[in-house]
Amino acid sequence: MTNEKFEAVVEETLDSIPDQFWDELDNVLFAVSDEPDDEQRNSAEDWNSVKEGDELLGLYEGTPLTERDSFYGTGELPDVITIFKGPHERCFGDGTDEDNNNDELIDQIRRTVIHEIGHYFGNDDETLAAMGY
């Protein structure tokens, strides 16, 4: 899958988020990266990441909404949600057919984006799994 197509799937997923959730996303950035770096791999835990085997598909770095106190917002760097292209392609195919489509890969990219947004809102993996993410 081309970088442009991968990023477009992430953007389309973000565009599909209902306004009531989008309006609550505060001080958070979204990024796409080819591969996680060592620091990202080391910070990935069950509460803030999506993994497939040993592959890190997505990572939420920040303070979940449910853990922010009255002092939050006095100089914190933005939270970051990163979606990793290489691990998605290795686990779910690279989408190299003539139309650059792979439904399984596209579905998993969307699931990863929503899963990481769920971590931002303070949902744990058990809750997200029960919701299908």
Side-chain angles (χ1 to χ4, degrees):
M1 177 176 284
T2 66
N3 290 341
E4 292 78 17
K5 174 70 175 179
F6 190 90
E7 290 173 10
V9 174
V10 171
E11 289 176 21
E12 289 165 9
T13 303
L14 293 173
D15 289 343
S16 73
I17 295 170
D19 289 342
Q20 70 261 28
F21 295 112
W22 187 255
D23 293 344
E24 296 301 318
L25 290 170
D26 182 41
N27 201 34
V28 60
L29 299 174
F30 293 89
V32 170
S33 181
D34 286 333
E35 298 290 338
D37 61 28
D38 289 339
E39 185 177 324
Q40 289 168 318
R41 280 189 197 89
N42 292 334
S43 69
E45 299 179 27
D46 288 342
W47 73 270
N48 71 340
S49 65
V50 177
K51 295 180 183 176
E52 180 73 22
D54 291 336
E55 296 280 7
L56 181 59
L57 303 177
L59 180 65
Y60 167 69
E61 298 172 283
T63 304
L65 205 56
T66 55
E67 295 180 17
R68 296 179 182 184
D69 59 21
S70 60
F71 295 106
Y72 185 85
T74 57
E76 286 81 11
L77 293 173
D79 294 1
V80 178
I81 292 174
T82 307
I83 310 302
F84 301 104
K85 182 177 184 276
H88 275 90
E89 291 178 330
R90 285 191 292 279
C91 293
F92 301 99
D94 65 6
T96 57
D97 68 5
E98 67 265 8
D99 295 324
N100 201 29
N101 287 319
N102 174 324
D103 290 340
E104 183 181 16
L105 175 59
I106 290 169
D107 181 58
Q108 185 57 52
I109 295 165
R110 290 179 177 148
R111 292 169 57 87
T112 300
V113 171
I114 299 300
H115 187 104
E116 294 308 333
I117 291 171
H119 285 312
Y120 166 87
F121 282 108
N123 293 301
D124 60 19
D125 277 355
E126 184 177 308
T127 302
L128 292 165
M131 295 186 318
Y133 298 104

